[in-house]
Amino acid sequence: MRPITGANGNTVNWINYRTGTRDLYFRMDAGSKYASVSIELKHSDSGQHQHYYEQLEQVRSILEQETGEKWDWVKEIEDENGQMISRISITLKGVNIFNEADWPAVISFFKPRIIALDRFWNHVKEEFE
C-alpha cells in the first residue's frame, strides 16, 4: 500500500490512518475467523459522541457510494477494553490471518475498502472539524 497515495494526493500511513478528528478511527482487524474494516467512534463525552455519530449517519450515503456496499452500523457496543463505542464496519468471514493461503483474500478485502474510506473521508472530514 505504500506507493498508493491518498485521495488528496498525499502520502498516507495506511496502517495508522489519521482522521484528524479526536476519537474517530479507521481500523483494520483480522483474526482466525474473519477480517474487518471499521470506523470506530470512541468519544468519552456522550454528547459529543452522539453528535459525531449523527454526523456520520448524515453522510452514510457517501460512504456507501464510495465503497459500493452497505456497512453494518452499531450505535453502542462494548469494545475489548469495556468502553462503549460506535462502530460502522464490514466483515469478511471465513478467512484466517494465520493461514498464509488466506492472505491474498484478506489483502483483496482490505485494500479497496481502506482506499474507499480515504476517499470518503476526503469528502466529509471538514464537517467533523
Side-chain angles (χ1 to χ4, degrees):
M1 296 278 304
R2 185 174 303 245
I4 299 172
T5 58
N8 61 6
N10 294 333
T11 302
V12 175
N13 180 347
W14 296 101
I15 299 298
N16 189 22
Y17 189 93
R18 296 196 184 272
T19 64
T21 299
R22 185 173 159 230
D23 299 320
L24 181 74
Y25 306 96
F26 293 171
R27 304 270 194 228
M28 292 182 285
D29 188 24
S32 61
K33 297 180 181 179
Y34 72 96
S36 68
V37 177
S38 62
I39 301 170
E40 289 187 359
L41 180 55
K42 294 187 169 195
H43 210 292
S44 58
D45 177 282
S46 62
Q48 194 67 13
H49 184 107
Q50 176 72 21
H51 176 71
Y52 280 167
Y53 187 81
E54 289 170 359
Q55 283 183 291
L56 285 167
E57 285 181 319
Q58 291 173 2
V59 295
R60 183 180 197 155
S61 62
I62 299 170
L63 174 65
E64 291 175 357
Q65 179 182 348
E66 288 297 341
T67 62
E69 54 201 356
K70 294 195 182 290
W71 288 40
D72 298 319
W73 290 66
V74 180
K75 189 173 184 175
E76 291 183 357
I77 189 170
E78 191 172 311
D79 72 3
E80 60 279 355
N81 299 317
Q83 181 181 3
M84 293 307 289
I85 66 167
S86 297
R87 181 177 290 142
I88 303 160
S89 64
I90 191 155
T91 302
L92 174 65
K93 297 179 181 174
V95 292
N96 181 348
I97 194 65
F98 305 108
N99 180 352
E100 194 171 334
D102 285 345
W103 290 359
V106 171
I107 291 167
S108 294
F109 174 75
F110 281 151
K111 187 175 178 178
R113 286 163 184 85
I114 197 69
I115 291 170
L117 272 181
D118 178 59
R119 285 192 312 264
F120 160 74
W121 194 243
N122 194 51
H123 289 301
V124 303
K125 66 183 171 189
E126 289 180 5
E127 295 180 37
F128 292 83
E129 294 175 348

